[in-house]
Amino acid sequence: MAAPPIRITVLGSGTSVGVPTIGCHCDVCASTDPRDNRLRPSILVSFEDRNILIDATPDFRAQALRARIGHLDAIVFTHAHADHIMGLDDVRPFNFRQKGPIPIYGSEETLASIQRVFQYIFDGARKESNIPKLDPRPLAGQAVDLFGLPFLPVPILHGSQTIQGFRFGRAAYLTDHSAIPEASMDQLRELDVLFLDALRYKPHPTHSTVDRSVKTVEALAPRRAFFTHICHDLRHARAESLLPPNIRLAYDGLEILVEGDR
Ligand SMILES: [Zn+2]
Ligand SMILES: [Zn+2]
Ligand SMILES: [Zn+2]
């Protein structure tokens, strides 16, 4: 299936607590460089007249306003940690405008967690107030066609938990991971753009580090790589100056054009 050219908008490049971090006065949290302000991790994948959101963070409302998202065709979830799902209630204005439910995709486990956390959305009981209208669609191992763009779930390890990264066309988005299984590496060849978790320099039990993700880029050789899910240990300008030119730090508001399939 040929993929169209895609635009990726980075809605948030920060770790679970965001940067600045509440109560912290370190030089990154106090930085005046806008690239050191990181909302929770999410991207918008746009092509033709479609907008697909990957993860709905606690900052989703601010992110949607800042990126001027006018409509939402689907949401794809990587996993159900709070920093990736807690903005889900804020999709209601899209339901009003679009007059219909929004499909949400994720593994069986991710969707089950979302249905438990947001029980009021899915319990079928009559409500006096407005709730999001969502259509859960479980993703197994195979690619799903989203309006002409194939989305392939790529299993990655987030500590002891297996979650989903995604490949779509010649781009891939691998947030929260501590390891990438060999079979998944094979699904990530010949990429134009690769997003990788790079929390900080120091090792972490459930996240990749700058060094580890640099090694992943060397192994997969995408044309360009962008690091995300970044904490306040990395000052944008300095951290980026230490990276090879094909690896950049993502920052909130960054837009990237991805080549279509040749
Ligand atoms: Zn996370
Ligand atoms: Zn700080
Ligand atoms: Zn996580």
Side-chain angles (χ1 to χ4, degrees):
M1 202 186 314
I6 298 161
R7 187 177 74 242
I8 295 175
T9 306
V10 176
L11 299 176
S13 56
T15 188
S16 59
V17 291
V19 181
T21 300
I22 293 173
C24 185
H25 305 289
C26 76
D27 64 339
V28 177
C29 287
S31 167
T32 55
D33 183 341
R35 299 171 303 177
D36 288 324
N37 270 295
R38 304 176 180 126
L39 297 180
R40 267 59 74 83
S42 171
I43 60 170
L44 186 72
V45 177
S46 307
F47 58 98
E48 290 154 4
D49 59 347
R50 300 296 185 176
N51 283 327
I52 296 170
L53 178 71
I54 302 189
D55 291 334
T57 83
D59 298 315
F60 175 66
R61 176 176 174 276
Q63 292 167 329
L65 290 171
R66 184 167 64 184
R68 299 176 183 276
I69 302 174
H71 69 278
L72 208 51
D73 296 290
I75 309 172
V76 177
F77 286 100
T78 59
H79 64 308
H81 281 166
D83 52 326
H84 298 260
I85 69 168
M86 291 309 284
L88 190 53
D89 193 76
D90 281 324
V91 304
R92 285 176 294 141
F94 293 107
N95 288 139
F96 303 149
R97 292 165 62 88
Q98 297 167 200
K99 302 183 184 0
I102 296 170
I104 63 170
Y105 294 85
S107 69
E108 296 261 9
E109 185 189 358
T110 297
L111 293 182
S113 294
I114 289 172
Q115 284 168 284
R116 180 171 46 76
V117 172
F118 294 95
Q119 193 237 347
Y120 65 95
I121 298 178
F122 300 99
D123 65 9
R126 231 188 106 75
K127 299 288 178 328
E128 291 186 298
S129 53
N130 273 300
I131 56 168
K133 292 179 179 52
L134 304 169
D135 177 9
R137 300 184 189 180
L139 282 174
Q142 306 88 335
V144 61
D145 180 340
L146 296 186
F147 316 102
L149 180 63
F151 262 70
L152 176 69
V154 178
I156 49 180
L157 287 170
H158 186 18
S160 60
Q161 192 188 352
T162 299
I163 71 157
Q164 290 180 325
F166 294 97
R167 178 179 182 146
F168 36 97
R170 297 193 60 219
Y173 182 73
L174 307 189
T175 182
D176 311 43
H177 68 274
S178 42
I180 305 173
E182 216 33 64
S184 296
M185 293 288 278
D186 291 338
Q187 297 176 314
L188 298 166
R189 310 286 174 193
E190 304 202 3
L191 290 169
D192 179 22
V193 171
L194 173 62
F195 275 81
L196 292 171
D197 174 11
L199 179 73
R200 63 188 191 190
Y201 296 106
K202 266 193 319 189
H204 188 281
T206 62
H207 284 278
S208 188
T209 58
V210 171
D211 282 353
R212 179 172 224 296
S213 286
V214 167
K215 289 199 177 74
T216 301
V217 174
E218 287 167 359
L220 291 174
R223 190 162 80 87
R224 299 171 283 168
F226 295 89
F227 289 175
T228 190
H229 213 296
I230 303 163
C231 86
H232 62 171
D233 291 4
L234 272 66
R235 193 176 180 109
H236 187 99
R238 177 168 163 72
E240 204 170 64
S241 73
L242 302 173
L243 289 169
N246 64 326
I247 304 177
R248 303 288 84 187
L249 294 194
Y251 58 88
D252 294 20
L254 173 65
E255 291 191 0
I256 299 159
L257 297 175
V258 183
E259 293 173 356
D261 279 338
R262 280 160 296 183

